[in-house]
Amino acid sequence: MIDPDCLFCKIVAGDIPADTVLETDDVLVFRDIAPQAPVHLLAVPKRHIPSIAEVGPEDHGLLGALVQAANDAAGAFGLEDRGYRIASNVGDEAGQTVFHLHLHIMGGAPLGALAVTDLQDRTP
Ligand code: 5GP
Ligand code: ZN
């Protein structure tokens, strides 16, 4: 399924150019347009799913293929031994801006803390 208003669906369809680094039947991996690490890639399923919070049993195979592609892309950039981070934002407080499931693959330098380090007065 393609959402005609979705940025990453347009990239998957080839309507918006992207720097593709790996493609399989079900997954596309391309460079993030505003990298936050020396290597910053995005792995997306070709099928439109709004976020990783909205996967169902029918998506289990696709999720496996997505993680496999993310790991393969990290390996292609020499990150296998150095280490890398895979992250997927869900919703506002996580900073999700594109509502098509994507895994961020980041590496190539020490990445630092995963999230806010000042937790004082931030009880949920
Ligand atoms: P989010 O904030 O939703 O977790 O991540 C969205 C990511 O998509 C951001 O890191 C942003 O830089 C990237 N991005 C936004 N627009 C484009 C685009 O047109 N092309 C590419 N390659 N990446 C994009
Ligand atoms: Zn989409």
Side-chain angles (χ1 to χ4, degrees):
M1 191 193 99
I2 298 281
D3 178 341
D5 298 324
C6 169
L7 175 64
F8 288 172
C9 281
K10 290 177 185 170
I11 286 178
V12 166
D15 294 340
I16 290 178
D19 193 348
T20 298
V21 302
L22 188 153
E23 181 169 10
T24 71
D25 286 349
D26 301 317
V27 176
L28 194 68
V29 186
F30 52 91
R31 288 183 191 267
D32 195 294
I33 203 168
Q36 296 176 50
V39 178
H40 188 172
L41 311 174
L42 300 170
V44 308
K46 291 184 176 177
R47 181 154 58 82
H48 182 84
I49 300 172
S51 84
I52 202 166
E54 297 187 49
V55 300
E58 70 279 11
D59 301 314
H60 287 184
L62 180 57
L63 264 287
L66 187 66
V67 171
Q68 183 70 60
N71 287 330
D72 290 347
F77 280 81
L79 301 181
E80 210 166 49
D81 296 328
R82 299 181 62 170
Y84 52 97
R85 178 173 293 155
I86 295 178
S88 193
N89 294 321
V90 177
D92 285 346
E93 289 200 346
Q96 184 178 8
T97 57
V98 179
F99 291 86
H100 179 128
L101 196 169
H102 51 283
L103 302 182
H104 293 263
I105 304 145
M106 305 173 76
L111 294 174
L114 185 59
V116 289
T117 51
D118 173 15
L119 292 178
Q120 286 181 347
D121 302 323
R122 289 176 183 266
T123 47

